[in-house]
Amino acid sequence: MPNLITHTDRNLDTLQFVGVAINPSNPAEVQGGTQDNGTWSNNDPEGSQNDWPQNIYGDGGNSGYDAAMPTWRFNEFTGPFSDANFENGAATKWVFISEPLFNSREAVGFYWPEIGDPNPPTSAHPIFSGLQHVWRSWAFGAGANPTAVPQNTTPAIATYEANCADLTTDGTGCGDFQPLGGPYCDGLSSTTTIPSCGNTPGDLTGTVYGSDRGGGAISWLARNKTDHGTLWATTSAGRIFVTHNADASDPSTVTWHRIDNATSPTRFPSSIYPDPANVNHAWITYSGYNATTPTVPGHVFEALEGGAAPGSGTFTNLNVEAGTDAFPTPTGTGDLPVNDIVRDDARKNLYVATDFGVLLGNSDGKGGWKVTPGLPRFEITHLEIEPSARVPTCVGTGKKGCPNLIYAATHSQGMWKLPLGGQ
């Protein structure tokens, strides 16, 4: 009988990282969720390359940090269950914050867009979460009064750690998210005085915003650090929205401008990177294959909001296929889904993630595309860059403490870092 088992794959990275988030006060610390295997971070010891404790169990989706309090972090399980932690990721201090999201009964992605704020309003600690509405907390998910207007800005940490501790609560009273652009809502038959969420103002997938490209759920969110109010949102059916008052004290008064039109694909928008020099300008990527939308091909687009009318956006195809044709695509034409995009704002270089590696587009994608050296030629699920216009980075670090670098979350190859040079 065998009496010894030897692991031949001891050093093999097998986990699928869903995303990567950079600690805003320490560029050496990152965290990321992994499919079926929890959320991990190199926070103990700080910035370690080889020691990554699991901060929380279960499915690990998107995660993030608070801009002002970098020991505060949030995670996702699968939609729409989310926790927050106010104790630097301590395993026993995670608290449930997503009861309003669950009670809404809205459609939600398996791993859904949930983001922190790179430039929060004074004293606020925002988290934005995308279901059919965009839902906002100003108290990192843990306000004492879930329906307060204006929303609470100080989390009730002691109350949540006592009453909403993960695995020990039924979730009642745990979470203070409110929908943007419409009345407070839920999907519970027991709350007869509260309207149902579906197809009401703020439901970006409903007929309030048109009869085409309806249904599905929000696929991506991106704030712009230039101001407190600009927020971009996309839906899985190809709608593109912008608001410039996401910081409104009354969440119901947020106004959404739908800008997609016949020149933008009806495929799944997979990411957004906003332009810090122009709040009406962003870069948007798409999943899927051009073969499914042959009259509107393209996977990376420059988007300009345009006028105030619905559908006023201008979309320019940046022809990333000229670079992805180096990869083994089904037709040999570079027709390959793109998973994410970030921008080196100082150099005006775009980086896009695909299932076969990362491409670099010089001159904001108009100077040609090439494979990025130094990153793996494997499935790249998510990118983050420092400094960034869409997530909090370089908070209180000074210029010397803010190295220009890019992180890549991969499927089976771990987490990668590539210094880009300069600070």
Side-chain angles (χ1 to χ4, degrees), residues 46 106 110 129 144 188 197 315 330:
E46 190 76 27
E106 291 190 339
F110 187 81
S129 197
L188 303 177
C197 293
F315 297 86

Side-chain angles (χ1 to χ4, degrees), residues 76 79-80 101 106-109 111-115 127-136 177 204 217-221 233-234:
E76 289 178 357
L101 307 181
E106 291 190 339
V108 60
Y111 299 126
W112 74 102
E114 189 164 77
I115 61 170
I127 300 176
F128 297 92
S129 197
L131 283 73
Q132 291 174 227
H133 287 78
V134 178
W135 294 73
R136 186 189 75 187
F177 288 91
L204 303 188
I218 292 171
S219 64
W220 196 269
L221 298 172
T234 63

Side-chain angles (χ1 to χ4, degrees), residues 22-26 29 31 64-74 85-89 117 120 123-126 138-140 153-155 157 392 395-396:
I22 306 172
N23 186 312
S25 68
N26 183 357
E29 181 193 317
Q31 69 176 2
Y65 294 87
D66 182 68
M69 303 292 291
T71 59
W72 298 2
R73 61 188 72 203
F74 64 84
N85 188 294
F86 301 95
E87 310 289 348
N88 201 35
D117 195 323
S123 301
H125 303 278
W138 265 359
F140 215 65
T153 58
T154 302
I157 296 174
V395 177

Side-chain angles (χ1 to χ4, degrees), residues 40 57 112 162 165 167 183 238 242 328 374:
W40 306 73
Y57 62 90
W112 74 102
L167 289 181
V242 190

Side-chain angles (χ1 to χ4, degrees), residues 179-214:
L180 299 185
Y184 190 84
C185 61
D186 68 29
L188 303 177
S189 59
S190 58
T191 53
T192 55
T193 61
I194 299 176
S196 177
C197 293
N199 211 28
T200 58
D203 175 1
L204 303 188
T205 70
T207 59
V208 172
Y209 302 97
S211 59
D212 61 318
R213 306 189 188 200

Side-chain angles (χ1 to χ4, degrees), residues 25-49:
S25 68
N26 183 357
E29 181 193 317
V30 294
Q31 69 176 2
T34 59
Q35 184 174 355
D36 297 325
N37 287 280
T39 298
W40 306 73
S41 175
N42 62 343
N43 65 326
D44 186 18
E46 190 76 27
S48 172
Q49 182 175 351

